[in-house]
Amino acid sequence: MWTLAWRNLWRHRARTLIVGSAIALSYALFLILIGIEDHSGEEMSAKAEDFVGGALRVEGGEFTAMRTLDHLVPDGVALAERIAALPQVRNVRVEVELQGLLSSPRNNTGADLRGIDPDNWPTALEDLGLAVAEGRFLHPDDATGIALTRTVARELSVALGDRVVLTLSDPDGEVTRALFLVATILDVEPGGFDRIAFTHLQAAQRAANLGDAVTGIGVQLADSRQRFRLQPDLQAQVDQWRPDQNLAVLTWDEVLPELVAMIEVDRANTLVFLGLIFLVVVFAIANTMLMSVLERIREFGLLGALGLGPGHLIRLVFIEGALLTLAAMAVGLAIALAGHTAIATWGIPLGEGGLEYETAGISMVDFSLYSTLIPLHWIRTSVLIFVLSMLASIYPALRAMRLEPTEAMRTWK
Amino acid sequence: MTSTAPEASPSPDTAARPAAEDVLIEVRDVSRIYTQGQLEVRALDRVSVTFAPGEFTAIAGPSGSGKTTLLNVIGALDKPSAGSVIVDGREVAQLGRAEGADFRLRHVGFVFQAYNLLPVLTAYENAEFTLALQGLPKTERRERVMPLLERVGLGQKADRRPDELSGGEQQRVAVVRALASKPNLVLADEPTANLDRKTGEALLDLMLELQREHGITFLFSTHDPLVMERARRILRMDSGRIVADERQGEA
Ligand SMILES: Nc1ncnc2c1ncn2[C@@H]1O[C@H](COP(=O)(O)OP(=O)(O)OP(=O)(O)O)[C@@H](O)[C@H]1O
Ligand SMILES: [Mg+2]
């Protein structure tokens, strides 16, 4: 039966090759686009994680929703140390995140001020796409030092050693001010966060009258894809340690829902585009299979006379469809792997300016597209495409089955 | 088995009914009516006939007389509108599609006028097709099919595709396929109609010899008077009825 099916496919060599290439190419395109999509998704996830401080974040309940200083994590450093000792946790980043107004004698500008412990953020600058351009970064001696990105420094017209004043409202709603000296100017890589300022954790706590409280503890996991599974565990643990403090454990996706939505819209667009392409291919398969059934009516009659029942005939058509699809998919997979490897190695340049977009305060610039192979996604896509192709064989198979042998034998006389 | 061979009956014109245990096929009061719009065509009109095991029977008659329909009904390819068809003790008249196919696979070999072979398979693969469907292992299929192919003079051409064989050679492959599965009966619908006289006669002689060697019941339809002479029993049909049932000695 398999031999028969395979040879039947090659009766119309040209037709089989055309439909086979259509399947192979659309399948390859499918996989390659998914690879690119997955790469930019992972890249955005990584950036988002850096921005949030980790795959998970512990914060005062509703801090994310309210963005006010009513929702804090009391004695944040102590809690962070206990979390850091948990298995699966790679690192923790304690931070105080303040929205305030920075002023110099000449200018004002809004900025995202992070009070951090530089020891806890060893790779923080790099992760955020920042590099020290002038001065030194938050040395322990610089208790009142502040690090500004070049963008913010330019807006304030300040240089190293100049004074800046941070104005904000404290948890009680009182307006407070704190004086800082510019200790560092940071260069921002394309795609880095350019409206950001850093101070020592304690300096930020003091400036906002927070005491020992922090606004969040970023929890970096050994494998950030485990975040959804570990989230409830950590929530339970935190609730046990701090029963009365109404602390929340969020994934970065919950902290930055706009970014998630954007990744999903992007993915949906790709899928719709691919779906339309593949719909055409499915029709091509259905059409080919139907033609090949209708031009062999006499032969199906003969098969019936020889003792192939309706079930056999259906199976024959399905096997032909499956062989065609599988052979084409094998070729498509080879093309996709080659394409993926090429794109992952050299990238697809997008020209001078690259592609710039900004979501949730995170700006991204891609100069090139790269590809990441997530086996699960490729397998899922392959199964989907195979199933769709098989659906395309249903009608032709039913036509073959419904042929009455005697009728079929008469058609050519 | 009894000792009464059907051809022992010398009377050419009587349809002497063989004893019950000597009946392989019993067709009783079978009608097959095709309706085409208002028109009713009685392809078979209350046909009753029996065939003994090992009989070699020709069905003759003008075009449209119902020969093909009779063969199809016996092979469960077609359902009669009325009557019963019993093959080897089994009622086949009302078998469903799948049961009918299974019945043919196990008990019936078919040979048609033309287009008998699957064009994508070699002569050998065509010949072993039903055996493969029956699930026989490869070596056993080879042991059964190759001697038969050699017997019909196609041992050297086993690997050829049908379009590389002559019409007569194709028909011989079809005969081998029909015989290879050792069926109870072989139904051949005008197996020689597309062949020239000489090739047709040679095929008939071959079928006759094989039938004798293997003791298989053979039923074939034909227009050709010379071809029917080779049969020991000739059923003559007209307008869906059997109008004569002749038995004759060795040709
Ligand atoms: N599917 C069908 N629909 C309508 N009429 C049919 C059908 N099949 C057969 N018939 C009619 O039944 C009658 C008997 O047909 P059948 O094919 O059995 O004749 P035949 O003796 O085999 O003829 P031939 O020698 O031409 O093959 C014919 O009149 C034919 O037109
Ligand atoms: Mg006929």
Side-chain angles (χ1 to χ4, degrees):
Chain A
M1 195 104 137
W2 290 87
T3 329
L4 180 61
W6 179 250
R7 299 224 188 121
N8 278 335
L9 273 187
W10 293 104
R11 287 179 151 187
H12 292 271
R13 186 179 283 268
R15 188 172 72 194
T16 301
L17 283 178
I18 289 171
V19 177
S21 332
I23 300 173
L25 289 177
S26 62
Y27 172 61
L29 186 65
F30 225 118
L31 291 184
I32 287 173
L33 286 184
I34 279 181
I36 291 173
E37 193 69 47
D38 281 341
H39 182 83
S40 70
E42 295 237 308
E43 207 172 43
M44 279 198 256
S45 307
K47 286 209 166 117
E49 233 182 277
D50 294 334
F51 187 76
V52 167
L56 294 175
R57 181 151 90 173
V58 181
E59 56 182 39
E62 292 174 42
F63 175 78
T64 288
M66 314 297 289
R67 290 267 146 201
T68 62
L69 295 181
D70 312 342
H71 307 283
L72 297 167
V73 183
D75 199 3
V77 174
L79 180 60
E81 277 165 7
R82 300 187 78 169
I83 292 173
L86 293 173
Q88 317 253 29
V89 173
R90 189 160 52 84
N91 191 17
V92 289
R93 288 177 175 177
V94 184
E95 66 169 4
V96 167
E97 190 187 335
L98 303 171
Q99 308 292 324
L101 187 70
L102 284 172
S103 325
S104 72
R106 287 168 286 274
N107 251 325
N108 301 319
T109 184
D112 176 19
L113 183 102
R114 306 284 189 98
I116 60 166
D117 177 353
D119 295 339
N120 258 343
W121 288 64
T123 59
L125 289 182
E126 204 180 305
D127 288 352
L128 292 170
L130 301 169
V132 174
E134 297 171 34
R136 54 184 188 183
F137 185 68
L138 299 188
H139 193 268
D141 297 342
D142 305 332
T144 57
I146 189 166
L148 302 177
T149 59
R150 210 179 274 291
T151 317
V152 175
R154 199 181 306 120
E155 285 176 11
L156 292 173
S157 312
V158 291
L160 279 187
D162 286 354
R163 300 158 159 225
V164 291
V165 173
L166 172 70
T167 310
L168 76 164
S169 39
D170 75 3
D172 299 328
E174 301 282 331
V175 174
T176 68
R177 285 155 190 275
L179 178 72
F180 294 97
L181 296 175
V182 178
T184 323
I185 303 286
L186 299 168
D187 266 343
V188 189
E189 275 177 17
F193 306 99
D194 65 351
R195 309 200 52 81
I196 198 163
F198 294 95
T199 69
H200 278 287
L201 181 68
Q202 295 81 1
Q205 284 172 330
R206 218 176 305 120
N209 296 327
L210 301 182
D212 60 7
V214 300
T215 58
I217 301 169
V219 181
Q220 297 179 320
L221 301 174
D223 175 6
S224 47
R225 284 181 207 167
Q226 298 290 318
R227 62 188 182 277
F228 297 106
R229 202 173 58 71
L230 294 175
Q231 180 188 23
D233 299 352
L234 184 59
Q235 178 74 64
Q237 185 63 72
V238 166
D239 285 343
Q240 191 198 325
W241 284 334
R242 301 283 180 89
D244 307 320
Q245 291 178 1
N246 183 30
L247 299 181
V249 177
L250 304 179
T251 63
W252 71 253
D253 317 64
E254 291 167 323
V255 180
L256 298 172
E258 310 93 320
L259 185 70
V260 176
M262 183 185 140
I263 293 176
E264 266 161 18
V265 166
D266 211 29
R267 175 153 296 160
N269 281 339
T270 311
L271 285 181
V272 166
F273 168 66
L274 291 171
L276 287 177
I277 290 184
F278 206 72
L279 203 65
V280 175
V281 175
V282 164
F283 272 106
I285 299 173
N287 184 48
T288 306
M289 299 303 298
L290 190 61
M291 270 165 74
S292 89
V293 167
L294 294 182
E295 72 199 8
R296 282 187 291 160
I297 287 182
R298 180 106 200 348
E299 213 172 297
F300 278 100
L302 173 64
L303 290 172
L306 292 180
L308 264 74
H312 274 112
L313 296 181
I314 286 194
R315 222 180 311 153
L316 181 64
V317 176
F318 267 114
I319 290 176
E320 285 176 23
L323 284 177
L324 172 63
T325 309
L326 286 177
M329 281 175 72
V331 175
L333 185 64
I335 297 174
L337 281 174
H340 157 75
T341 311
I343 296 170
T345 315
W346 298 299
I348 301 176
L350 292 173
E352 285 279 296
L355 188 71
E356 192 169 352
Y357 44 94
E358 190 190 305
T359 326
I362 304 180
S363 84
M364 310 250 178
V365 182
D366 278 342
F367 288 101
S368 293
L369 294 177
Y370 289 92
S371 175
T372 297
L373 199 165
I374 299 180
L376 177 70
H377 289 182
W378 280 39
I379 292 168
R380 230 164 37 189
T381 308
S382 308
V383 170
L384 177 80
I385 286 188
F386 183 71
V387 169
L388 282 178
S389 314
M390 286 297 89
L391 290 183
S393 296
I394 287 183
Y395 179 67
L398 288 179
R399 280 297 290 262
M401 182 203 80
R402 282 203 217 104
L403 289 173
E404 284 285 344
T406 46
E407 288 298 315
M409 306 295 285
R410 288 168 60 87
T411 40
W412 281 65
K413 285 194 182 169
Chain B
M1 284 284 114
T2 69
S3 55
T4 343
E7 57 267 36
S9 157
S11 52
D13 281 313
T14 47
R17 257 176 187 268
E21 61 265 36
D22 238 9
V23 173
L24 177 70
I25 305 165
E26 181 174 6
V27 177
R28 198 190 299 143
D29 282 331
V30 164
S31 297
R32 178 65 168 101
I33 299 163
Y34 291 107
T35 36
Q36 280 183 320
Q38 305 286 346
L39 217 71
E40 272 197 357
V41 182
R42 286 183 172 267
L44 292 178
D45 191 3
R46 279 164 291 152
V47 169
S48 293
V49 63
T50 60
F51 301 93
E55 247 185 341
F56 191 79
T57 310
I59 303 171
S63 186
S65 57
K67 305 182 292 294
T68 298
T69 311
L70 180 59
L71 290 177
N72 286 347
V73 160
I74 292 172
L77 267 177
D78 200 354
K79 277 189 197 176
S81 315
S84 87
V85 178
I86 293 166
V87 177
D88 203 14
R90 191 181 298 98
E91 173 63 70
V92 301
Q94 299 305 330
L95 290 182
R97 288 270 316 267
E99 299 159 327
D102 196 59
F103 162 73
R104 285 192 294 282
L105 179 60
R106 292 181 199 290
H107 304 287
V108 186
F110 267 102
V111 180
F112 299 98
Q113 176 178 340
Y115 307 109
N116 262 301
L117 305 182
L118 296 165
V120 294
L121 300 182
T122 64
Y124 174 77
E125 288 164 338
N126 266 291
E128 67 156 17
F129 189 77
T130 40
L131 293 183
L133 273 184
Q134 288 173 354
L136 243 71
K138 221 185 176 87
T139 47
E140 206 169 318
R141 297 199 307 254
R142 199 156 201 65
E143 279 165 21
R144 280 216 221 165
V145 170
M146 275 321 285
L148 279 170
L149 277 180
E150 267 151 30
R151 174 71 185 72
V152 303
L154 291 174
Q156 301 303 312
K157 299 181 174 174
D159 290 329
R160 295 217 191 160
R161 295 278 175 102
D163 55 11
E164 299 162 341
L165 296 173
S166 73
E169 287 168 340
Q170 291 181 26
Q171 290 303 77
R172 278 185 267 162
V173 174
V175 170
V176 169
R177 178 183 60 202
L179 289 174
S181 59
K182 300 183 180 161
N184 295 19
L185 78 150
V186 172
L187 302 175
D189 193 7
E190 304 192 36
T192 60
N194 276 29
L195 306 177
D196 59 64
R197 167 67 43 84
K198 239 184 91 201
T199 324
E201 283 173 4
L203 184 77
L204 246 295
D205 287 337
L206 182 70
M207 283 168 47
L208 195 54
E209 282 169 38
L210 290 171
Q211 181 263 346
R212 243 180 251 143
E213 285 165 28
H214 298 267
I216 291 170
T217 313
F218 249 91
L219 232 69
F220 69 99
S221 69
T222 183
H223 283 298
D224 188 338
L226 282 179
V227 162
M228 17 182 144
E229 273 170 18
R230 284 176 159 67
R232 260 167 267 153
R233 182 179 175 194
I234 303 174
L235 283 183
R236 293 191 190 278
M237 297 190 67
D238 198 359
S239 313
R241 293 168 192 256
I242 294 177
V243 293
D245 187 350
E246 306 159 1
R247 286 160 197 275
Q248 56 195 28
E250 288 289 321

